[in-house]
């Protein structure tokens, strides 16, 4: 026994101990992580929340210049039947003037219909401008009263603290008078 | 070490097996000597402890009547107000208790700022205090959501949306916080759970805060160390009595608010049930968050606004290293004193700006006040430590009192040490 304890072997014994510490520590970290993850993930949206489907909207009764709000995934969706002037105004803007540059074509599948999630991209308030008499901001679109963000007639951020344009939900036109919010509808 | 002695055989029997009585004696009894010159500004720590106890006791009873569900929460709170025996009292005490907790804690913090209580060797004590402040803010915020009124809902939405400013992971974090696509029932449930948990976490950090306090004992209005037993008096009965008097005054004011102006500090919009599809025209947080809300809105960039708001509290963590002046008490720092008053005014101005819509005059005021806040902590305090010439410090805590009593001329000045001028 004694003659096997050479200096070289004593050294390798220490590296082996270091290795065991590291390996045990790594296994412990993986184990702790795998226990903590279910606790964290349980706080994410549950299956029944995720299963919320799409919302169908009849466009027939919406007159030109009228704006309506529908609910999709518990959030308001703005549907705006834009007038020719509003479309012109949106198209006339130079992209350089936009904090989040998007052309009007990128904002609306059909120019006369604007479909957007009506939640301010700053801190989640619902911008005003849907109802007659409400302020529409400096650019004739929407105005968020919480922290003063102004959106234009294509729902693009123009002034204020919001970083992005109003978010576009997935949607498609099932027919000329029906839009489905929540699905992209291949082939429609 | 322990001067604790008793003739009671029962107490001695327990003490021998678990030294709980000498521990108490050493913590808040005769065995804990405190500086003899503590002013009434030193009452607010014990008052904050009292407020915490009031909140926990009323909160536990209220939780027995409250229903954490979006369809029932608002009505269950109204039921507490109308049908539950003394429910109106419990809720008004809990609701106003939150405001008074913050009033007391803010005075406690500004006391520490003026008298340099954060300086060595009490840095950890101070930082634990800032942790308590953050926990209080989280608890108060989630508690305000529970009645599920319009301000509850939209306050929750705006504040949780702050985390969407985080690069890359922002949206995922917010959805995780909500447990839904918007603030909804899962959010209300978890807020109730955490609102019940966090006060006990606060209790734990308060224990650490007091532990750190007892390592070196309280600071004092002169900011100089106690030199020996002649500078100290036993905590009990002297400061237990003084604290008890403070409790009496506090309860008189608190009771006047609860019984005569219970809704003075609240927002009437929160008596409108939450409507996820209509933002109230003017969202404001509770008064104790207004200065921070003003800082958030002062900066016209989402991420930077959020960063500035958190930095305004984060600065307090590093305050002991920003203010390098060796003199603790503001009494002996003539220029610091002026800036302290300006900071106090600045905090009030920020509060007013936070309550106004973020446009025109008040937006400008909010921006200037925000700039001043950071200017004070990042520029003024470090420079004062180098350039300010403090007044001479008294040789001991006893000296100003004894000298002041002896000379008819010098008694008014109080703090100036005449022998030093002659020397």
């Amino acid at each position: 026994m004694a003659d096997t304890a050479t200096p070289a072997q004593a050294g390798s014994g220490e590296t082996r101990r270091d290795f065991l510490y590291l390996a045990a520590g790594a296994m412990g970290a993986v184990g702790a992580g795998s226990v903590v993850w279910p606790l964290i993930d349980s706080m994410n949206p549950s299956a029944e929340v995720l299963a919320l489907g799409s919302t169908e909207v009849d466009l027939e009764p919406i007159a030109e210049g009228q704006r309506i709000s529908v609910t999709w995934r518990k959030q308001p969706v703005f549907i705006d039947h834009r007038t020719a002037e509003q479309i012109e105004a949106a198209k006339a803007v130079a992209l350089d003037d936009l904090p989040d540059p998007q052309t009007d074509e990128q904002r609306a599948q059909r120019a006369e219909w604007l479909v957007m999630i009506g939640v301010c991209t700053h801190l989640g308030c619902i911008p005003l401008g849907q109802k007659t008499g409400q302020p529409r901001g400096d650019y004739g679109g929407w105005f968020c009263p919480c922290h003063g963000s102004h959106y234009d007639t294509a729902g693009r951020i123009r002034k204020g603290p919001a970083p992005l344009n109003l978010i576009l939900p997935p949607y498609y036109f099932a027919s000329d008078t029906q839009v489905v919010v929540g699905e992209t509808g291949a082939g429609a | 070490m322990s001067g604790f002695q008793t003739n009671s055989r029962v107490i001695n029997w327990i003490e021998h097996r678990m030294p709980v009585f000498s521990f108490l004696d050493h913590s808040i009894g005769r065995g804990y000597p405190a500086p003899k010159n503590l002013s009434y500004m030193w009452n607010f720590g014990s008052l904050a402890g009292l407020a915490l106890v009031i909140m926990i006791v009323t909160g536990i009873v209220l939780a027995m009547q409250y229903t954490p569900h979006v369809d029932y929460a608002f009505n269950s709170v109204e039921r507490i107000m109308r049908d539950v025996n003394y429910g109106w009292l419990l809720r008004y005490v809990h609701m106003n208790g939150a405001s008074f907790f913050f009033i007391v804690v803010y005075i406690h913090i500004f006391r520490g700022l003026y008298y340099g209580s954060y300086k060595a060797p009490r840095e950890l004590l101070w930082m634990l205090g800032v942790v308590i402040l953050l926990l209080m803010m989280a608890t108060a915020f989630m508690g305000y959501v529970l009645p599920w009124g319009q301000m509850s809902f939209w306050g929750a939405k705006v504040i949780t949306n702050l985390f969407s400013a985080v690069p890359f992971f922002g949206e995922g974090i917010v959805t995780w916080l909500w447990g839904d696509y918007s603030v909804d029932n899962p959010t209300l449930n978890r807020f109730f759970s955490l609102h019940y948990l966090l006060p006990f976490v606060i209790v734990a950090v308060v224990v650490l805060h007091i532990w750190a306090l007892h390592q070196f004992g309280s600071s004092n209005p002169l900011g100089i160390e106690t030199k020996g037993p002649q500078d100290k008096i036993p905590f009990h009965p002297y400061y237990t009595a003084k604290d008890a008097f403070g409790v009496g005054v506090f309860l008189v004011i608190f009771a006047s608010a609860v019984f005569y102006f219970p809704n003075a500090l609240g927002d009437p919009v929160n008596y409108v049930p939450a409507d996820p599809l209509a933002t109230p025209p003017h969202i404001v947080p509770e008064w104790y968050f207004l200065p921070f809300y003003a800082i958030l809105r002062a900066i016209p960039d989402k991420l930077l606004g959020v960063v500035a708001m958190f930095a305004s509290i984060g600065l307090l963590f590093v305050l002991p290293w920003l203010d390098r002046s060796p003199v603790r008490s503001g009494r002996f720092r003539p220029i610091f004193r002026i800036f302290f008053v300006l900071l106090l005014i600045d905090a009030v101005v920020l509060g007013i700006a936070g309550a106004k819509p973020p446009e025109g005059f008040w937006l400008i005021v909010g921006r200037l006040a925000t700039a001043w806040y950071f200017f004070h902590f990042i520029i003024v305090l470090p420079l004062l430590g180098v350039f300010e010439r403090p007044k001479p410090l008294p040789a001991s805590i006893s000296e100003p009192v004894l000298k002041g009593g002896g000379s008819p001329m010098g008694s008014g000045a109080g703090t100036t040490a005449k022998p030093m001028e002659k020397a």
Side-chain angles (χ1 to χ4, degrees), chain A residues 40 43 74 121-122 126 147, chain B residues 176 180 190 279 293 302:
Chain A
I40 293 175
M43 289 173 67
K74 304 178 184 179
T121 56
H122 181 226
I126 295 177
H147 307 96
Chain B
W176 176 72
D180 208 323
R190 63 191 55 184
T279 309
Y293 196 56
K302 185 169 163 179

Side-chain angles (χ1 to χ4, degrees), chain A residues 40-46 49-50 71 73-76 119 121-126 143 145-148 160-161 163, chain B residues 154 157-158 161-162 164 172 175-176 179-182 184 190 276-281 283 293 296-297 300-302 358-359:
Chain A
I40 293 175
D41 196 35
S42 73
M43 289 173 67
N44 270 319
S46 54
V49 169
L50 291 171
T71 310
R73 284 186 169 179
K74 304 178 184 179
Q75 303 181 97
V119 174
T121 56
H122 181 226
L123 293 176
C125 296
I126 295 177
F143 171 70
C146 293
H147 307 96
Chain B
W154 289 101
K157 187 130 195 218
V158 167
N161 254 307
L162 293 180
S164 69
T175 308
W176 176 72
D180 208 323
Y181 294 113
S182 179
D184 210 303
R190 63 191 55 184
L277 296 182
T279 309
I283 296 184
Y293 196 56
L296 167 75
R297 300 192 302 183
D301 178 274
K302 185 169 163 179
E359 343 170 286

Side-chain angles (χ1 to χ4, degrees), chain B residues 57-402:
Chain B
V57 170
T58 51
I60 288 172
V61 184
L62 284 168
M64 297 175 187
Q65 308 285 351
Y66 169 77
T67 313
H69 188 282
V70 288
D71 294 337
Y72 307 103
F74 188 88
N75 288 340
S76 77
V77 172
E78 286 307 307
R79 186 183 149 267
I80 288 171
M81 290 303 288
R82 291 148 205 262
D83 293 346
V84 175
N85 298 334
Y86 291 104
W88 58 273
L89 178 64
L90 293 169
R91 174 163 172 269
Y92 276 158
V93 167
H94 198 72
M95 193 173 117
N96 287 279
S99 282
F100 275 76
F101 198 178
F102 274 99
I103 291 173
V104 163
V105 161
Y106 282 152
I107 295 175
H108 190 61
I109 291 173
F110 273 102
R111 192 287 318 272
L113 288 174
Y114 181 71
Y115 291 106
S117 302
Y118 46 84
K119 292 188 183 180
R122 297 184 181 84
E123 300 97 324
L124 273 183
L125 168 62
W126 173 261
M127 291 161 83
L128 286 166
V130 180
V131 171
I132 294 173
L133 175 64
L134 286 172
L135 287 168
M136 277 177 65
M137 292 174 129
T139 312
F141 160 66
M142 288 191 275
Y144 191 63
V145 175
L146 302 186
W148 209 243
Q150 270 290 66
M151 278 300 169
S152 299
F153 180 89
W154 289 101
K157 187 130 195 218
V158 167
I159 299 301
T160 49
N161 254 307
L162 293 180
F163 292 92
S164 69
V166 175
F168 307 115
F169 308 108
E171 290 304 320
I173 292 173
V174 172
T175 308
W176 176 72
L177 287 173
W178 290 342
D180 208 323
Y181 294 113
S182 179
V183 172
D184 210 303
N185 203 44
T187 326
L188 179 60
N189 270 284
R190 63 191 55 184
F191 277 20
F192 182 51
S193 167
L194 293 173
H195 182 69
Y196 207 117
L197 165 74
L198 287 185
F200 299 98
V201 179
I202 293 178
V203 169
V205 184
V206 166
V207 169
L208 296 179
H209 191 65
I210 295 173
W211 189 1
L213 169 69
H214 283 221
Q215 182 73 0
F216 292 99
S218 293
S219 180
N220 66 77
L222 294 178
I224 57 176
E225 291 298 337
T226 48
K227 297 285 193 305
Q230 75 278 10
D231 287 340
K232 296 180 180 180
I233 47 176
F235 192 83
H236 180 75
Y238 294 101
Y239 287 117
T240 43
K242 192 167 183 170
D243 278 346
F245 176 71
V247 165
V249 174
F250 171 79
L251 288 180
V252 167
I253 301 170
F254 183 49
S256 337
V258 167
F259 290 107
Y260 294 101
F261 313 99
N263 289 305
L265 295 169
D267 194 313
V269 176
N270 215 32
Y271 284 108
V272 177
D275 180 357
L277 296 182
T279 309
H282 185 203
I283 296 184
V284 275
E286 289 287 83
W287 70 266
Y288 37 81
F289 290 137
L290 288 175
F292 305 102
Y293 196 56
I295 292 175
L296 167 75
R297 300 192 302 183
I299 296 170
D301 178 274
K302 185 169 163 179
L303 179 59
L304 289 181
V306 175
V307 168
M309 190 182 71
F310 282 107
S312 65
I313 298 173
L315 273 179
L316 295 178
F317 270 109
V318 291
L319 178 60
W321 294 276
L322 289 173
D323 178 4
R324 304 307 298 264
S325 169
V327 176
R328 286 202 194 100
S329 174
R331 275 196 196 174
F332 305 105
R333 303 185 60 190
I335 308 176
F336 169 85
R337 245 177 130 135
I338 298 168
F339 278 102
F340 175 81
V341 173
L342 289 176
L343 180 71
L344 209 55
I345 296 169
D346 189 56
V348 174
V349 169
L350 276 174
I352 299 170
K356 305 281 181 187
E359 343 170 286
F361 175 71
W362 283 107
L363 182 61
I364 306 293
V365 170
R367 284 185 178 158
L368 291 174
T370 300
W372 182 265
Y373 182 91
F374 286 100
F375 177 72
H376 177 90
F377 282 105
I378 297 175
I379 311 286
V380 172
L381 281 185
L383 287 183
L384 279 185
V386 178
F387 293 107
E388 185 184 41
R389 191 142 173 254
K391 292 190 208 163
L393 293 173
S396 76
I397 285 177
S398 303
E399 190 198 56
V401 186
L402 298 174

Side-chain angles (χ1 to χ4, degrees), chain B residues 6-19 21:
Chain B
T6 177
N7 289 325
S8 162
R9 293 177 68 184
V10 177
I11 289 180
N12 278 325
W13 187 92
I14 299 173
E15 176 72 16
H16 182 64
R17 285 151 184 85
M18 191 172 79
F21 292 101

Side-chain angles (χ1 to χ4, degrees), chain A residues 135-161:
Chain A
R136 293 188 167 191
D138 294 353
Y139 301 89
W142 289 264
F143 171 70
C144 183
C146 293
H147 307 96
S149 291
H150 299 255
Y151 296 90
D152 68 10
T153 52
R156 293 175 295 199
I157 180 65
R158 300 296 292 276
K159 196 169 102 181

Side-chain angles (χ1 to χ4, degrees), chain A residues 16-144:
Chain A
R16 193 169 68 179
R17 183 168 297 172
D18 288 347
F19 172 76
L20 286 173
Y21 275 137
L22 280 173
M27 272 315 289
V30 170
S34 59
V35 169
V36 168
W37 177 247
L39 299 175
I40 293 175
D41 196 35
S42 73
M43 289 173 67
N44 270 319
S46 54
E48 110 279 3
V49 169
L50 291 171
L52 276 181
S54 53
T55 301
E56 294 172 10
V57 186
D58 183 13
L59 300 176
E60 192 93 62
I62 308 172
E64 188 175 297
Q66 197 184 354
R67 293 170 171 180
I68 67 151
S69 300
V70 297
T71 310
W72 171 67
R73 284 186 169 179
K74 304 178 184 179
Q75 303 181 97
V77 171
F78 291 172
I79 299 181
D80 181 13
H81 193 170
R82 295 195 291 180
T83 61
E85 300 88 73
Q86 287 172 328
I87 299 170
E88 279 312 304
K91 287 191 169 164
V93 180
L95 283 186
D96 292 345
D97 295 343
L98 298 170
D100 179 18
Q102 269 186 316
T103 63
D104 193 58
E105 286 74 23
Q106 288 170 307
R107 299 290 301 166
Q109 291 177 16
R110 298 187 185 184
E112 66 273 29
W113 294 106
L114 193 58
V115 180
M116 311 177 295
I117 295 178
V119 174
C120 181
T121 56
H122 181 226
L123 293 176
C125 296
I126 295 177
L128 299 175
Q130 284 295 97
K131 292 178 183 157
T132 45
Q134 286 182 341
R136 293 188 167 191
D138 294 353
Y139 301 89
W142 289 264
F143 171 70
C144 183

